[in-house]
Every structure is written in structure tokens, then in C-alpha cells.
Amino acid sequence: MNFTELQRMDGDYIAHTYARFPVGVAEGEGAVCRDTEGREYIDFTSGIGVNSLGFCHPAWVQAVQRQAATLCHISNLYYTAPDALLAKALCERTGCSRVFFANSGAEANEGIIKAARKYGSDHYGPERCEIITLENSFHGRTIATLAATGQEVFHKNFGPFPAGFVHTPAGDIDALRQKVSERTCGILIEMVQGEGGVIPLDRAFTDAIAEICAKNDILLMVDEVQTGMGRTGTLLACEQYGLRPDLVSLAKGLGGGLPIGAALLFEKCKDVFGPGDHGTTFGGNPIVCAGANAVMECLTGELLAEVRRKSARIFEAVAKMPRVKSVAGLGLMIGVEFDGIAGRDVVNRCLEEGVIFLTAKHKLRMLPPLVITDEQIDRGLAILNRILTNWEDETK
Ligand SMILES: *Cc1c(COP(=O)(O)O)cnc(C)c1O
């Protein structure tokens, strides 16, 4: 099928929920993919922070192929090894005590929301059900996670929403204190607001959140769907803020390309769920968990150190480029703001030149696979630099 046929068929039969770039991606290896016409692109997106090991990482492919030929599915009514191994690895490496597996970021967040409410209800009664989240946050597209999401644009046309979510501006400690009450069971944050424009929280604010949570037995909930799994240079981003969370959600990078979410339950919430309290048909699927186990094995201390090194390389190079107003982010999660140019316009030009980037609000956003090489970084950034240098001429 050529691209024209593909685009027509997609438009005829797939719900029009995505503004797709005009490229049909056919295959990939590492940080390079090829479209249906055979053109190559350097990938600074990893899907959206999903293909943490790049396309078709050999260890991941082998793990997934083996598991597919061994056992694909049996339901959570039986024990299987891949999910138990993955949960053990996650507990050992993050300090959490139990894991609930879901299938996406939104579902992982639903899991930690239910866990927080159950904890509140168990210890203080059913009124303790409120969760404070931040303005400009993003927590998913299900009805409850939309209610948690502090951005009006996502709410339009989908109400009514479940009660029990209170939004407060990031960075404003006084405003947060005023919203905390006997009803508050949890405070939910992203360490770096991703969809909100790649904005890291500041340390004074997260310190205050930790203090408020500890003093009032309020659960500290961190949505690490985008920032987790090594994306920011540590397994979880909250490590870099010295935070000890009670609940963490993971998804995007966890499966290395397969759909999986996880709700990490730390000590306080260890036994919050009993049989029948929560569940999902596909959660902990053996093939998906085999892929995630391969990702976990690859996320060594050396790889995480490499993420931090490559991050510094990108920050340094981008800061020197013309038209760049700011560069923000953590690890390989980077947002670039331009002087008088919309990120989307730069991303479109780069795509034509064989480099793919994302946007976040008005910024260009980079979420390259953690295994991207220096040579690929330099080649991709040289193209970005050239496009920015010639911007006036280009737009004449
Ligand atoms: C992507 C994202 C989600 C939603 O994940 P889905 O897998 O699309 O449901 C939730 N929280 C954050 C921080 C995200 O980046």
C-alpha cells in the first residue's frame, strides 16, 4: 500500500481523533525509522516517550518473541511468571511494596486514584476522598483522569465529571495550603509537566508538598507516566527531588512499545487493595510484561548516566541555536521555546528534512529513545540548527 492509499483508508475508517503528520511509518531500528516510501527519519519522539529502547531493540524483540511462542494470555485468575518478575524488579528498584498492572497511563492513574480514596476511606471515612492536582497538568483521557487534568481545553463537551478533584496552581505554596482540608486524601503531581509544555516543578514547591503530605497523612501521588522509566536520567524523576511518594503511576516507557501501565503502591498503601477491589482483563499480560522486563534489564546505572550525559549535550547545543528563547526539561524530556516562531512550524519543517520532533503547547518537545547515539543527536540537531538559522529566508 502506498502512502496515498493508506492516508485515504485511514481517513475513511479510523475515528478522526488525531491530527496526524503526513507520514506513514513502516519500520524502524534504534533511533531511526523509515516511512512507507522508504525515506529515513531520526527519531526524537520514541512514539511519545514509549519506545524507550528505540525501535526493535534486539533483547526486547527476543523476549517478546519468546513469550509470544510460549504463553500469550491466561487471565489474572492464574499465576504467571512475567508479571511477578516485573513487579519484583519494580519494587526492588523504586522502593515500592506492591504493583497493580494496568494497560495505559490513564488506567495507571485510575489505579492510584482508587488506591488513594480507599486509603482515605479505610482510615478516615468516606468523606476523605478529595485529590488535589495542579493547573496545567495532564493525567489522561478517561472521565476521572480528565477531571484530574487541570486544563479546561480537555474538559469541553465531556462533562459532567466525577467530584473530588481540586486544582491548584503549580509553584504556589499558599494556594495549595488553602486547598488542603480534612477531605484531602492525596496530592497528585507530575515532576515535569509534559503535555503542559515540559515544565519542571521547582524544588521549594515539591518540598512543601512533601511536608504537607507527611504532616496530614495525605498521600503523595506522582504521575510518572511520562517522566518515569529512566526518561529523566533516574528510574523515577521524583528521586531527583528527594521525594518519597506513596503512590506512583507508570506507563509510556515501561513496555518499550507495548501497552502497559502500573500503579506502584508504597508502604502505606501496600495492602489497600484486597481481592475484588480492582482489576482489569489484560493487566499483567505475559507478552507485555516480558517486553517490560527486557526494558528493566536494559535500564542499568550506565544507561541512566548516559541519559544524563546526552541530555547535557542536547541542552548545550540547543541553547546556542538562533531563535531559541528557552530550553527546559529534565534528562531526555526537553522543551524548546522559540522567539516568534510556533514550535509546530519548526517541527513541520524538520519532518520534511528527516527529523521527527513532538510539540507541547507552543514548544518543540524532544523525547528521543534513551539509546539514541551522539552521532544521531548531532545529525538531528544540525538539521534543526540549519532550519532555525535560515528561518527568515525560509518563510519569505
Ligand atoms: C501520556 C500521559 C498520560 C496518559 O497516558 P495514556 O497511556 O495515554 O492513557 C497520563 N499522564 C501523563 C503525565 C502522561 O504523559
Side-chain angles (χ1 to χ4, degrees), residues 104-106 109 138-140 190 195 223 225-226 251-252:
S104 67
N109 283 333
F138 183 81
H139 299 296
E190 296 159 88
E195 304 307 306
D223 178 344
V225 167
Q226 193 164 151
K252 292 193 167 90

Side-chain angles (χ1 to χ4, degrees), residues 46-67:
S46 328
I48 303 179
V50 167
N51 303 320
S52 35
L53 304 179
F55 300 103
C56 301
H57 187 283
W60 181 92
V61 169
Q62 189 186 56
V64 169
Q65 283 179 338
R66 280 205 181 143
Q67 189 59 45

Side-chain angles (χ1 to χ4, degrees), residues 208-283:
I209 292 174
E211 186 211 302
I212 291 167
C213 286
K215 216 163 89 196
N216 301 287
D217 192 23
I218 290 169
L219 299 174
L220 176 50
M221 308 163 69
V222 187
D223 178 344
E224 295 248 16
V225 167
Q226 193 164 151
T227 53
M229 295 309 289
R231 171 56 54 191
T232 67
T234 45
L235 192 66
L236 300 181
C238 63
E239 294 169 40
Q240 292 177 59
Y241 284 79
L243 288 186
R244 295 169 57 84
D246 300 301
L247 292 163
V248 166
S249 54
L250 291 174
K252 292 193 167 90
L254 176 56
L258 287 169
I260 182 171
L264 309 186
L265 314 170
F266 288 71
E267 186 60 30
K268 271 190 187 177
C269 298
K270 182 173 170 174
D271 294 316
V272 75
F273 288 140
D277 284 336
H278 196 32
T280 172
T281 299
F282 289 114

